[in-house]
Amino acid sequence: MKRDALLAIIAEWLEEWEMPSLVSRHQPAIDPADLKRILAIVGPRRPGKTFFMYQIIQSLLQGGQYSKEHILFLDFEDYRLGEFTGDTMDELFAAFHQLAGRYPLFLFFDEIQNLSNWNRVLRTLHNRRQYKIIVSGSNSELLSSEIATELRGRYEDIIMLPFSFQEYLRYRDISFTSASLRTAVRGNILAAFDAYIKHGGFPEVAMAGSESEQRRLLQSYFKTIFYRDILERYNIKARYVLDALMNDILENYAGIFSITRFEKQLKSNNLPGSKRTIANYFHYLTEAFFTIVNEKFSFSPRQRIMNPKKAYLTDTGFAALGRPFTENRGRIIENIVAIELFRRGIETYYFKNKNECDFIIKQGHRPTHAIQVCWELTNRNEKREIAGLMDACSTLGLTSGIILTYVQEEEREKDGLKISVLPVWKWLLEADVKE
């Protein structure tokens, strides 16, 4: 790679870069100077990973001890870094020293998965013990649970998803207390929740001025995942299978995905596609953070692997690219719950026996909570929803369960089972209500 290109990129960072306006994200406080391991900020494209890195940089600059001359920020989406390799790293540091008069202490590498052999490069840099390293990436291979053995013990991660509902309210400048939730503020929160479940939590989408602009952004994210994060990265041959699969999930999210059913669907349209290919592509969608996948609950790991998975969208805004919102209200809020449980790092399954329960939460070696989700409990669905919750609780030895709805709130008891019915928006805010 030409040295002039490196100098230009570094000069832009040192001389021209300005801190954009930031929406504070609901993440643990990070002091970069205290980092002992590589920190990875991992999640789908466009949820705010780069801006969270800026938030960390801002904390460094505001502390007064460090300046931009201590910090190197590189965006590996920059086309000028297309030829950059790990072998060029020392040349990069030399170019930084030439312009800044010192070597960097803090390395911020955005979209690191675009750097070939990134894990070996990071290991080498970390072993030098000269740098505090923070990276971001749009592939689940960067999660510590998936990371190569060579980085184990040197690495920790933060999952960055689109705005949570708490963050969305913060962006909309809607504050609340437990008392004000019983006042007119409740109406403001419900109006914001309606927009949140319909358009999702991608920051740029939330900031867009019109529904047409929101849809255009979501379509562009969808296409980027399709082309760059999956088609190109995994060298997909059967493009029509990937296209059909992504559209199938747009239509049937929050449902159980059957590889056999999908294979039959392809064949009925005279499209070839083996079960192995479908399974691989389904896995790629999870790796690219397009879907969140829950397994059927079983104490047997083998059974969990063998059973069909339940697939959710990583952001409900994508659902707007499928069927009209009014047809999917119950599945939309179920998807919202799946995202939040994933965001909180909670081990989650679905339950299916004679009846079905949407979420089983497992802590340690045993299940601790059962959650059922529906838009509204009515005379038509109440028996089914409660039966699913009771079946799960009875089978798993739980004495209470939760039903999340749009607005209903009450306490019930049936055959000794305590059932809390809560509005899903209030459940989402539980951790953020001020007394």
Side-chain angles (χ1 to χ4, degrees):
M1 183 175 177
K2 293 181 179 179
R3 186 178 179 85
D4 286 348
L6 291 177
L7 288 169
I9 291 168
I10 295 166
E12 288 170 12
W13 160 250
L14 292 173
E15 301 298 330
E16 299 178 8
W17 183 84
E18 294 182 0
M19 183 69 66
S21 59
L22 302 173
V23 177
S24 177
R25 300 304 298 264
H26 195 76
Q27 294 287 349
I30 295 168
D31 184 350
D34 286 342
L35 287 177
K36 300 293 188 293
R37 300 178 180 181
I38 299 162
L39 176 65
I41 304 161
V42 188
R45 286 184 180 271
R46 315 304 295 178
K49 298 189 301 293
T50 304
F51 275 62
F52 185 60
M53 293 177 92
Y54 292 163
Q55 187 174 314
I56 298 171
I57 291 171
Q58 184 181 55
S59 71
L60 280 172
L61 298 177
Q62 289 179 342
Q65 188 176 353
Y66 303 105
S67 66
K68 279 205 286 188
E69 286 70 22
H70 294 92
I71 302 165
L72 172 59
F73 179 92
L74 280 187
D75 176 8
F76 283 98
E77 295 272 86
D78 190 326
Y79 74 93
R80 294 171 296 180
L81 292 171
E83 298 177 6
F84 188 88
T85 67
D87 295 334
T88 323
M89 195 62 71
D90 285 331
E91 190 175 342
L92 170 71
F93 295 147
F96 187 91
H97 188 281
Q98 181 180 335
L99 293 177
R102 60 171 303 127
Y103 291 108
L105 296 178
F106 300 93
L107 306 180
F108 288 82
F109 293 157
D110 202 10
E111 299 297 348
I112 189 68
Q113 77 281 349
N114 293 323
L115 174 64
S116 59
N117 295 317
W118 59 267
N119 47 359
R120 293 179 62 190
V121 173
L122 292 183
R123 178 184 178 178
T124 300
L125 292 174
H126 185 263
N127 285 348
R128 292 182 183 179
R129 302 186 184 279
Q130 296 174 252
Y131 314 107
K132 306 296 185 179
I133 305 171
I134 299 175
V135 301
S136 79
S138 301
N139 190 298
S140 68
E141 287 181 357
L142 275 79
L143 291 173
S144 56
S145 58
E146 305 291 333
I147 207 70
T149 304
E150 61 198 41
L151 280 177
R152 295 270 165 82
R154 300 174 171 87
Y155 194 88
E156 58 187 285
D157 60 61
I158 292 173
I159 293 181
M160 177 66 65
L161 297 177
F163 282 155
S164 67
F165 187 47
Q166 296 174 16
E167 291 168 331
Y168 186 80
L169 290 180
R170 195 176 304 142
Y171 164 69
R172 297 271 298 258
D173 200 25
I174 298 174
S175 58
F176 58 91
T177 64
S178 55
S180 68
L181 291 179
R182 301 177 182 276
T183 69
V185 170
R186 178 188 175 104
N188 295 336
I189 291 174
L190 273 172
F193 184 61
D194 289 342
Y196 179 70
I197 61 177
K198 186 174 182 180
H199 303 298
F202 281 110
E204 284 182 310
V205 175
M207 297 170 191
S210 65
E211 288 202 13
S212 62
E213 176 67 7
Q214 289 173 321
R215 185 177 181 84
R216 186 193 67 76
L217 285 167
L218 289 164
Q219 286 173 331
S220 74
Y221 298 165
F222 182 85
K223 289 177 182 177
T224 300
I225 293 170
F226 180 87
Y227 287 106
R228 297 190 60 183
D229 293 342
I230 304 177
L231 200 71
E232 295 176 10
R233 180 174 296 161
Y234 298 104
N235 195 24
I236 296 295
K237 304 298 184 186
R239 172 176 167 171
Y240 58 88
V241 175
L242 178 63
D243 183 56
L245 179 59
M246 289 182 72
N247 281 287
D248 183 83
I249 291 173
L250 283 184
E251 294 291 321
N252 299 297
Y253 64 90
I256 296 171
F257 179 78
S258 166
I259 291 175
T260 301
R261 173 193 64 79
F262 187 73
E263 182 191 35
K264 289 178 180 177
Q265 183 178 313
L266 288 177
K267 287 181 178 177
S268 69
N269 289 290
N270 297 316
L271 296 173
S274 69
K275 288 183 178 179
R276 180 180 292 276
T277 297
I278 295 165
N280 286 341
Y281 290 9
F282 185 70
H283 178 65
Y284 297 158
L285 292 180
T286 307
E287 285 206 330
F289 291 101
F290 180 68
T291 55
I292 295 168
V293 172
N294 285 349
E295 296 178 331
K296 180 182 176 182
F297 181 82
S298 171
F299 286 106
S300 164
R302 184 176 181 277
Q303 284 295 319
R304 293 201 296 267
I305 292 171
M306 296 295 292
N307 283 318
K309 311 294 189 288
K310 203 167 185 181
Y312 298 93
L313 298 167
T314 307
D315 187 79
T316 55
F318 287 129
L321 305 180
R323 296 180 185 177
F325 170 74
T326 52
E327 296 181 24
N328 301 322
R329 296 185 306 174
R331 289 195 293 130
I332 282 274
I333 62 170
E334 182 184 337
N335 203 119
I336 288 279
V337 173
I339 294 168
E340 187 62 24
L341 291 170
F342 181 69
R343 186 194 316 277
R344 296 180 187 182
I346 294 173
E347 188 177 347
T348 310
Y349 303 88
Y350 73 91
F351 176 91
K352 190 171 177 63
N353 196 357
K354 291 180 181 178
N355 301 287
E356 185 174 333
C357 183
D358 297 320
F359 300 101
I360 301 299
I361 293 174
K362 183 167 170 277
Q363 295 177 331
H365 297 291
R366 65 186 186 88
T368 56
H369 297 79
I371 301 175
Q372 194 76 296
V373 185
C374 62
W375 185 262
E376 181 182 17
L377 281 173
T378 66
N379 292 332
R380 293 181 60 185
N381 71 358
E382 184 174 301
K383 184 177 180 181
R384 180 185 73 243
E385 300 294 347
I386 292 178
L389 187 66
M390 293 187 68
D391 192 359
C393 290
S394 173
T395 302
L396 302 175
L398 302 176
T399 58
S400 62
I402 299 171
I403 299 178
L404 298 176
T405 69
Y406 178 60
V407 292
Q408 289 166 301
E409 186 170 8
E410 59 179 303
E411 294 291 330
R412 296 189 181 192
E413 186 168 332
K414 184 172 177 61
D415 297 338
L417 181 71
K418 295 179 181 178
I419 302 173
S420 297
V421 182
L422 291 169
V424 66
W425 59 266
K426 185 175 283 190
W427 176 82
L428 290 169
L429 299 177
E430 274 182 348
D432 209 38
V433 172
K434 303 176 184 66
E435 297 300 331

